[in-house]
Amino acid sequence: MTGTDLHIPHLQTDRLILRAPRVADFERVAAFYGSDRARFVGGPLTPERAWRQLAAEAGHWVLRGYGRWALEEKDGGAFVGLVGLWFPDGFPDPELGWDLMDGAEGRGYATEAALAARAHAYDTLGWTTAISLIAKGNEGSCRVAARLGATYERTMDHAAFGKVEIWRHPAPGAA
Protein backbone atom coordinates (compact mmCIF):
# COMPACT_ATOMS: atom_id res chain seq x y z
CA MET A 1 0.00 0.00 0.00
CA THR A 2 1.71 3.17 -1.19
CA GLY A 3 0.96 6.37 -3.01
CA THR A 4 -2.67 7.44 -2.84
CA ASP A 5 -3.78 4.21 -1.15
CA LEU A 6 -3.16 5.82 2.23
CA HIS A 7 -4.66 4.12 5.23
CA ILE A 8 -3.19 4.64 8.69
CA PRO A 9 -4.59 2.03 11.04
CA HIS A 10 -5.48 2.90 14.61
CA LEU A 11 -3.91 0.64 17.22
CA GLN A 12 -4.73 0.62 20.90
CA THR A 13 -2.91 -0.42 24.02
CA ASP A 14 -4.12 -0.33 27.60
CA ARG A 15 -3.38 3.38 27.94
CA LEU A 16 -2.73 4.69 24.42
CA ILE A 17 -4.28 5.20 21.02
CA LEU A 18 -1.80 4.99 18.15
CA ARG A 19 -3.20 7.22 15.39
CA ALA A 20 -2.18 9.28 12.37
CA PRO A 21 -0.08 12.41 13.02
CA ARG A 22 -2.14 15.62 12.91
CA VAL A 23 -1.48 19.32 12.40
CA ALA A 24 -2.76 19.77 15.97
CA ASP A 25 0.32 17.82 17.16
CA PHE A 26 2.70 20.40 15.72
CA GLU A 27 3.05 22.68 18.75
CA ARG A 28 4.32 19.82 20.93
CA VAL A 29 6.46 18.41 18.10
CA ALA A 30 8.07 21.83 17.60
CA ALA A 31 8.71 22.16 21.33
CA PHE A 32 10.33 18.70 21.45
CA TYR A 33 12.49 19.20 18.35
CA GLY A 34 13.41 22.71 19.46
CA SER A 35 14.78 21.47 22.77
CA ASP A 36 18.03 19.84 23.77
CA ARG A 37 16.05 16.60 24.30
CA ALA A 38 16.06 16.23 20.49
CA ARG A 39 19.86 16.09 20.30
CA PHE A 40 19.73 12.32 19.84
CA VAL A 41 17.34 12.55 16.86
CA GLY A 42 18.85 15.35 14.79
CA GLY A 43 17.79 18.36 16.86
CA PRO A 44 17.47 20.91 18.10
CA LEU A 45 15.50 22.13 15.09
CA THR A 46 13.84 25.41 14.19
CA PRO A 47 10.04 25.36 14.08
CA GLU A 48 10.24 25.29 10.27
CA ARG A 49 12.48 22.20 10.35
CA ALA A 50 10.21 20.60 12.98
CA TRP A 51 7.28 21.15 10.60
CA ARG A 52 9.24 19.31 7.91
CA GLN A 53 9.88 16.47 10.34
CA LEU A 54 6.18 16.17 11.14
CA ALA A 55 5.44 16.23 7.40
CA ALA A 56 8.05 13.48 6.90
CA GLU A 57 6.27 11.39 9.54
CA ALA A 58 3.01 11.66 7.59
CA GLY A 59 4.75 11.27 4.23
CA HIS A 60 6.48 8.05 5.26
CA TRP A 61 3.02 6.45 5.44
CA VAL A 62 2.38 7.48 1.83
CA LEU A 63 5.73 6.29 0.50
CA ARG A 64 6.13 3.04 2.47
CA GLY A 65 2.62 2.15 3.56
CA TYR A 66 3.67 2.26 7.22
CA GLY A 67 5.21 4.78 9.58
CA ARG A 68 5.21 6.18 13.06
CA TRP A 69 1.97 6.74 14.88
CA ALA A 70 1.12 9.71 17.06
CA LEU A 71 0.50 8.55 20.62
CA GLU A 72 -2.59 9.84 22.35
CA GLU A 73 -3.45 9.12 25.96
CA LYS A 74 -6.80 7.37 26.27
CA ASP A 75 -7.35 9.24 29.51
CA GLY A 76 -7.54 12.90 28.50
CA GLY A 77 -6.49 12.69 24.84
CA ALA A 78 -3.08 14.36 25.20
CA PHE A 79 -0.58 13.87 22.36
CA VAL A 80 2.49 12.36 24.04
CA GLY A 81 4.83 11.07 21.34
CA LEU A 82 5.63 9.38 18.06
CA VAL A 83 6.32 5.65 17.92
CA GLY A 84 6.44 3.20 15.08
CA LEU A 85 7.98 1.96 11.90
CA TRP A 86 10.56 3.85 9.89
CA PHE A 87 12.74 2.88 6.94
CA PRO A 88 14.26 5.90 5.21
CA ASP A 89 17.09 5.68 2.74
CA GLY A 90 20.38 5.06 4.54
CA PHE A 91 19.03 2.75 7.24
CA PRO A 92 20.36 -0.82 7.14
CA ASP A 93 17.01 -2.44 8.04
CA PRO A 94 13.49 -1.31 8.93
CA GLU A 95 13.44 0.49 12.26
CA LEU A 96 11.19 0.63 15.27
CA GLY A 97 11.63 4.10 16.74
CA TRP A 98 10.18 6.33 19.45
CA ASP A 99 10.22 9.97 20.53
CA LEU A 100 8.31 11.07 23.63
CA MET A 101 7.21 14.64 24.14
CA ASP A 102 8.29 16.59 27.19
CA GLY A 103 6.61 15.26 30.33
CA ALA A 104 5.69 11.88 28.82
CA GLU A 105 8.92 10.10 29.74
CA GLY A 106 9.19 7.58 32.55
CA ARG A 107 5.64 6.23 32.21
CA GLY A 108 6.39 3.22 30.02
CA TYR A 109 4.66 4.74 27.00
CA ALA A 110 7.54 4.09 24.57
CA THR A 111 7.69 0.41 25.53
CA GLU A 112 3.92 -0.05 25.49
CA ALA A 113 3.48 1.58 22.08
CA ALA A 114 6.59 -0.02 20.57
CA LEU A 115 5.32 -3.49 21.47
CA ALA A 116 2.07 -2.76 19.61
CA ALA A 117 3.94 -1.30 16.63
CA ARG A 118 6.34 -4.26 16.46
CA ALA A 119 3.44 -6.72 16.61
CA HIS A 120 1.86 -4.85 13.69
CA ALA A 121 5.13 -5.00 11.75
CA TYR A 122 5.53 -8.73 12.29
CA ASP A 123 1.92 -9.94 12.27
CA THR A 124 0.34 -7.61 9.71
CA LEU A 125 3.19 -6.41 7.49
CA GLY A 126 5.18 -9.65 7.58
CA TRP A 127 8.48 -8.13 8.70
CA THR A 128 11.10 -10.72 9.64
CA THR A 129 13.40 -8.32 11.46
CA ALA A 130 13.52 -4.87 13.00
CA ILE A 131 16.20 -2.67 14.46
CA SER A 132 16.33 0.47 16.54
CA LEU A 133 19.07 2.98 15.73
CA ILE A 134 20.09 4.71 18.94
CA ALA A 135 22.50 7.64 19.14
CA LYS A 136 25.54 7.13 21.32
CA GLY A 137 24.79 8.36 24.81
CA ASN A 138 21.01 7.96 24.61
CA GLU A 139 20.78 5.71 27.65
CA GLY A 140 17.02 6.12 27.99
CA SER A 141 16.43 4.68 24.53
CA CYS A 142 18.90 1.87 25.21
CA ARG A 143 16.82 0.93 28.27
CA VAL A 144 13.62 0.94 26.19
CA ALA A 145 15.27 -1.26 23.54
CA ALA A 146 16.43 -3.70 26.22
CA ARG A 147 12.91 -3.83 27.75
CA LEU A 148 11.65 -4.74 24.26
CA GLY A 149 14.11 -7.64 24.14
CA ALA A 150 16.39 -5.98 21.59
CA THR A 151 20.12 -6.56 21.87
CA TYR A 152 23.05 -4.38 20.89
CA GLU A 153 24.47 -5.57 17.58
CA ARG A 154 27.06 -3.01 16.48
CA THR A 155 27.82 0.66 15.98
CA MET A 156 27.63 2.31 12.57
CA ASP A 157 28.34 5.74 11.13
CA HIS A 158 25.18 7.43 9.89
CA ALA A 159 25.46 10.38 7.49
CA ALA A 160 23.08 12.60 9.48
CA PHE A 161 23.34 11.26 13.04
CA GLY A 162 27.00 10.24 13.36
CA LYS A 163 27.75 7.19 15.50
CA VAL A 164 24.61 5.20 16.21
CA GLU A 165 24.11 1.84 17.84
CA ILE A 166 22.08 -0.82 16.08
CA TRP A 167 19.83 -2.73 18.46
CA ARG A 168 18.27 -5.86 16.91
CA HIS A 169 14.77 -6.84 17.98
CA PRO A 170 13.81 -10.47 18.55
CA ALA A 171 12.49 -12.20 15.43
CA PRO A 172 8.77 -12.83 15.06
CA GLY A 173 7.70 -15.60 17.41
CA ALA A 174 10.77 -15.09 19.59
CA ALA A 175 9.60 -11.86 21.19
Side-chain angles (χ1 to χ4, degrees):
M1 157 183 12
T2 59
T4 59
D5 297 336
L6 181 63
H7 170 70
I8 300 176
H10 277 82
L11 305 180
Q12 292 195 36
T13 67
D14 288 343
R15 300 177 296 159
L16 301 167
I17 297 169
L18 285 69
R19 58 156 174 83
R22 299 178 182 152
V23 171
D25 302 329
F26 175 66
E27 185 176 320
R28 293 208 66 200
V29 168
F32 168 77
Y33 278 107
S35 74
D36 184 58
R37 291 188 56 243
R39 71 189 177 284
F40 296 122
V41 291
L45 302 177
T46 65
E48 189 270 341
R49 295 297 302 168
W51 174 263
R52 289 175 183 261
Q53 180 61 39
L54 183 60
E57 299 287 352
H60 196 279
W61 283 97
V62 173
L63 297 175
R64 293 276 193 206
Y66 56 83
R68 296 201 313 166
W69 287 270
L71 304 182
E72 184 176 299
E73 292 176 323
K74 283 183 176 178
D75 184 21
F79 165 68
V80 294
L82 295 160
V83 174
L85 314 174
W86 191 247
F87 193 28
D89 185 62
F91 277 35
D93 285 305
E95 185 196 32
L96 174 59
W98 48 84
D99 295 331
L100 293 180
M101 302 300 107
D102 190 34
E105 322 87 326
R107 299 182 191 179
Y109 286 166
T111 303
E112 183 176 327
L115 285 168
R118 187 173 70 194
H120 181 80
Y122 288 172
D123 300 341
T124 302
L125 301 177
W127 285 16
T128 59
T129 193
I131 62 168
S132 291
L133 292 185
I134 301 175
K136 293 292 258 179
N138 189 345
E139 297 304 320
S141 278
C142 290
R143 287 190 297 274
V144 170
R147 280 193 295 275
L148 294 168
T151 56
Y152 170 80
E153 187 173 278
R154 64 183 171 93
T155 298
M156 68 172 264
D157 286 315
H158 187 274
F161 302 115
K163 297 255 185 232
V164 293
E165 297 179 356
I166 297 175
W167 285 70
R168 179 78 51 189
H169 288 266

